């Protein structure tokens, strides 16, 4: 065990560190905190106890030395260019991501990708073992690191290990396609507590252990073969920093920017908005199809109605994402060509990412927010939208296939596969009287305010602490 390096009672491990490298004009390297729910949640936890964060710093090659940033000890893990291709773009985003999202596109299986995934998971586990103090709590994040719980347990049986899945956990029929299904389940069973977005995800996991490993299970517990060790799997849905984001949305400059956005779009009667990573899980194609039909049937039309679609660039080296982008851009071009007018395009399509202030202003400017994923672990955009609507304006159209729908039942629910139904729901979201929409928005906001990301982190760590105790060694030997 290293004796001089600092060790920590709380260690978070995620594929990425919560910082981005910025090279200043005079060539200095600076690290800027990347804003995200997880970081905000961790700040609230790490205020009371210092913690470490293990993750990749974002560049290929050697990792920078560990450093401290705003009270968090950052411990970079190196990834080579080949590993970025095989572990990250390959196994994580082209094997696991499609399987875990209902195989909306087919998954690709390559044994070299699996080898890289294993190697990188081993490196993460070694880094965690180095920074964890005796008896520490180790909190592993997401599908890129599913082997880490077991690997950490082998190196450090003294620590308590949790894992949280930000994406869905698939039904066993889909999970069973994975050639490495047993290794992945065994990797996860190294944890004491496994957290999921929905109860259905936790149940899918428990069922996979029973059917594919033959492990004994009882309700939310799985017993690990050859031991009496029990692992609990339960839902602890993630959320947003309600207070912080609401405060941002109340800033006079942000509210002025919301008005300016509407003006620059010609003050439409109805402004619809979509904000997504450009990902095939998000249902952008289905949304555009419903919108296009509403326009061509003249049930909606510019300039009274317009749609702003922000599609943040994502995973651009993965083929399925390149194809999706081409398809979306062709569709937007066709809709504008067929149905737009001079000075009044039917779709404002933006393939950029924006600062948080601009997102908050967009949310406030939008009369109807379209969140139509085919499958989504949670979908934070839905929660961010209602958080920003302190004026109680706006309406949320929300797919039943998001984790968020399980909490935000009052939203205008849709099945994005049912284009006719989606069209009706969009019209209902537009035409419901303002008073009723305000009542709905109030209820949605109450839910998010009471279940914010700080509460999520606190609940997760409490569940980790309360996870089934390790069986004590038998006193009779
Ligand atoms: C995964 C799961 C789960 C997007 N564009 C910009 C921007 N964003 C922000 C949004 C939101 C976040 O990115 C996206 O979060 P989502 O939850 O919508 O989706 P995923 O990226 O797929 O996240 C998901 C999540 O993990 C958390 O567990 O909810 O189901 O798939 O916060 O606002 N932010 C800024 N500029 C942009 O252009 N600033």
């Amino acid at each position: 065990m290293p004796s001089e390096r600092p060790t920590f009672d709380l260690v978070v491990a995620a594929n990425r560190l919560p910082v981005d490298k910025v090279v200043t004009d005079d060539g200095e390297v600076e690290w800027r905190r990347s804003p995200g729910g997880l970081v905000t949640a961790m700040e609230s936890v790490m205020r009371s106890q210092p913690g470490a964060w293990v993750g990749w710093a974002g560049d290929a090659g050697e990792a920078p030395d560990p450093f401290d940033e705003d009270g968090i000890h950052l411990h970079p893990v190196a990834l080579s260019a080949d590993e970025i291709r095989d572990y990250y773009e390959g196994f994580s985003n082209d094997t696991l991501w499609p399987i875990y999202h209902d195989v909306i596109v087919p998954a690709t299986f390559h044994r070299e990708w699996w080898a890289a995934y294993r190697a990188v998971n081993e490196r993460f586990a070694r880094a965690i073992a180095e920074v964890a103090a005796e008896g520490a709590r180790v909190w592993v994040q997401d599908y890129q690191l599913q082997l880490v719980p077991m690997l950490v347990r082998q190196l450090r049986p003294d620590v308590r290990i949790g894992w949280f899945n930000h994406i869905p956990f698939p039904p066993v029929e889909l999970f069973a396609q994975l050639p490495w299904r047993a290794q992945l389940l065994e990797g996860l069973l190294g944890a004491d507590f496994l957290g999921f977005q929905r109860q259905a995800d936790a149940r899918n996991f428990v069922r996979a252990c029973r059917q594919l490993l033959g492990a004994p299970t009882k309700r939310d517990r799985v017993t690990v073969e050859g031991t009496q060790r029990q692992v609990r799997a339960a839902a602890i849905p993630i959320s947003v920093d309600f207070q912080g984001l609401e405060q941002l949305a109340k800033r006079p400059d942000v509210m002025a920017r919301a008005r300016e956005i509407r003006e620059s779009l010609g003050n439409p009667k109805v402004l619809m908005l979509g904000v997504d990573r450009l990902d095939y899980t998000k249902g952008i194609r289905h949304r555009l199809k419903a919108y296009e039909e509403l326009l061509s049937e003249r049930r909606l039309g510019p300039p009274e109605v317009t749609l702003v679609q922000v599609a943040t660039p994502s995973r651009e080296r993965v083929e399925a994402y390149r194809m999706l982008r081409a398809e979306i851009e062709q569709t937007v071009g066709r809709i504008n060509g067929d149905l737009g007018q001079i000075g009044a395009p039917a779709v404002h399509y933006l393939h950029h990412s924006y600062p948080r202030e601009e997102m908050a202003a967009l949310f406030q400017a939008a009369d109807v927010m379209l969140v139509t994923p085919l499958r989504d672990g949670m979908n934070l955009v839905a929660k961010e939208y209602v958080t920003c609507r302190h004026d109680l304006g706006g309406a949320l159209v929300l797919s039943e296939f998001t984790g968020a729908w399980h909490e935000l039942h009052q939203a205008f629910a849709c099945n994005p596969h049912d284009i006719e139904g989606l069209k009706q729901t969009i019209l209902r979201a537009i035409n419901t009287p303002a008073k009723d929409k305000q009542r709905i928005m109030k209820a949605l906001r109450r839910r998010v305010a009471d279940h914010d990301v700080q509460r999520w982190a606190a609940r997760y760590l409490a569940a980790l602490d309360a996870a089934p105790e390790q069986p004590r060694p038998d006193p009779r030997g």
Side-chain angles (χ1 to χ4, degrees):
M1 285 285 295
S3 51
E4 278 151 41
R5 294 211 181 194
T7 58
F8 296 85
D9 289 331
L10 176 64
V11 179
V12 172
N15 175 59
R16 276 300 308 266
L17 285 174
V19 287
D20 291 313
K21 190 163 111 183
V22 184
V23 182
T24 60
D25 291 342
D26 35 5
E28 295 278 306
V29 169
E30 274 180 14
W31 295 94
R32 215 159 280 161
R33 184 62 70 86
S34 37
L38 192 58
V39 195
T40 316
M42 287 309 127
E43 273 166 355
S44 69
V45 175
M46 289 184 182
R47 219 169 285 137
S48 50
Q49 58 173 166
W53 190 307
V54 173
W56 173 45
D59 281 334
E62 232 175 277
D65 286 335
F67 58 101
D68 291 334
E69 232 274 333
D70 256 349
I72 304 184
H73 181 74
L74 300 178
H75 189 103
V77 173
L79 291 187
S80 68
D82 285 356
E83 284 169 342
I84 296 170
R85 187 192 59 209
D86 295 348
Y87 143 79
Y88 181 64
E89 292 163 353
F91 199 79
S92 297
N93 289 334
D94 208 10
T95 305
L96 294 173
W97 184 270
I99 293 272
Y100 284 40
H101 287 89
D102 291 357
V103 200
I104 298 165
V105 307
T108 309
F109 301 130
H110 286 306
R111 281 162 278 190
E112 315 83 84
W113 289 1
W114 163 250
Y117 185 83
R118 238 184 20 214
V120 170
N121 273 246
E122 281 165 8
R123 194 170 310 143
F124 267 82
R126 283 195 299 273
I128 294 166
E130 241 178 70
V131 293
E134 176 78 27
R137 298 192 284 186
V138 172
W139 188 1
V140 183
Q141 308 289 329
D142 232 355
Y143 62 102
Q144 302 94 347
L145 302 178
Q146 294 180 83
L147 306 179
V148 167
M150 186 53 84
L151 294 165
V152 169
R153 180 170 295 280
Q154 283 162 2
L155 294 169
R156 292 289 304 272
D158 58 296
V159 300
R160 193 157 264 264
I161 305 165
W163 176 79
F164 182 79
N165 195 29
H166 290 255
I167 68 174
F169 197 89
V172 64
E173 293 78 3
L174 296 179
F175 185 78
Q177 290 181 17
L178 279 164
W180 309 280
R181 61 199 193 185
Q183 291 97 313
L184 288 166
L185 293 176
E186 283 158 3
L188 291 175
L189 287 174
D192 295 288
F193 175 67
L194 300 165
F196 296 86
Q197 302 277 29
R198 300 173 309 154
Q199 274 174 11
D201 298 312
R203 280 197 299 264
N204 285 344
F205 171 79
V206 171
R207 200 173 299 135
C209 291
R210 190 168 59 238
Q211 292 186 15
L212 302 173
L213 295 181
T217 67
K218 194 168 178 201
R219 287 194 302 274
D220 60 358
R221 309 278 163 100
V222 181
T223 303
V224 181
E225 206 200 344
T227 71
Q228 289 169 304
R229 204 167 65 77
Q230 288 198 339
V231 181
R232 179 168 175 246
I236 311 237
I238 199 168
S239 192
V240 297
D241 176 18
F242 185 87
Q243 274 190 8
L245 185 57
E246 189 191 41
Q247 237 171 41
L248 177 74
K250 281 184 172 166
R251 257 170 43 187
D253 57 320
V254 172
M255 291 171 65
R257 176 64 190 144
R259 287 190 294 274
E260 194 180 284
I261 289 172
R262 290 190 71 97
E263 265 162 41
S264 63
L265 294 168
N267 276 321
K269 255 209 263 152
V270 181
L271 171 54
M272 300 207 268
L273 175 67
V275 171
D276 314 81
R277 266 188 317 98
L278 188 41
D279 195 299
Y280 49 80
T281 59
K282 302 291 182 183
I284 303 170
R285 284 183 299 130
H286 296 63
R287 183 185 312 165
L288 288 175
K289 189 170 175 59
Y291 181 63
E292 182 176 19
E293 288 189 14
L294 285 170
L295 295 188
S296 51
E297 291 159 11
R298 308 214 176 281
R299 292 204 267 174
L300 293 180
E304 290 82 18
V305 176
T306 195
L307 167 65
V308 171
Q309 175 63 54
V310 177
T312 311
S314 184
R315 305 176 189 171
E316 294 183 290
R317 301 203 313 181
V318 179
E319 180 60 16
Y321 289 76
R322 280 204 287 256
M323 281 166 57
L324 174 75
R325 179 173 176 195
E327 200 184 336
I328 299 279
E329 294 186 352
Q330 193 183 22
T331 307
V332 168
R334 189 186 59 232
I335 298 176
N336 278 335
D338 291 348
L339 300 157
Q341 297 170 9
I342 288 180
V347 186
H348 296 258
Y349 169 78
L350 304 154
H351 185 247
H352 322 280
S353 80
Y354 287 99
R356 268 156 37 88
E357 290 76 4
E358 183 73 358
M359 303 301 274
L362 272 166
F363 288 146
Q364 275 183 56
D367 301 298
V368 179
M369 183 78 216
L370 298 174
V371 178
T372 60
L374 307 177
R375 181 56 76 198
D376 211 336
M378 172 54 61
N379 195 288
L380 294 180
V381 168
K383 291 185 172 180
E384 288 164 358
Y385 178 67
V386 303
T387 301
C388 288
R389 297 316 301 246
H390 48 83
D391 60 344
L392 302 186
L396 173 65
V397 170
L398 182 60
S399 160
E400 295 164 14
F401 299 101
T402 62
W405 180 77
H406 293 261
E407 294 177 75
L408 304 178
H409 278 299
Q410 296 92 344
F412 292 89
C414 71
N415 166 6
H417 297 281
D418 171 10
I419 299 296
E420 212 46 58
L422 177 56
K423 284 156 65 183
Q424 294 302 335
T425 307
I426 292 173
L427 292 175
R428 225 160 28 84
I430 294 173
N431 296 325
T432 297
K435 219 162 61 345
D436 296 337
K437 286 201 271 205
Q438 285 173 3
R439 194 176 33 76
I440 293 172
M441 187 54 76
K442 212 168 172 176
L444 297 175
R445 286 172 52 76
R446 193 174 314 123
R447 170 73 203 189
V448 181
D450 290 347
H451 295 80
D452 62 5
V453 76
Q454 287 83 2
R455 177 165 166 181
W456 167 76
R459 278 185 67 202
Y460 185 93
L461 290 171
L464 177 60
D465 291 343
E469 282 292 323
Q470 311 264 346
R472 300 226 174 105
D474 187 343
R476 290 161 303 181

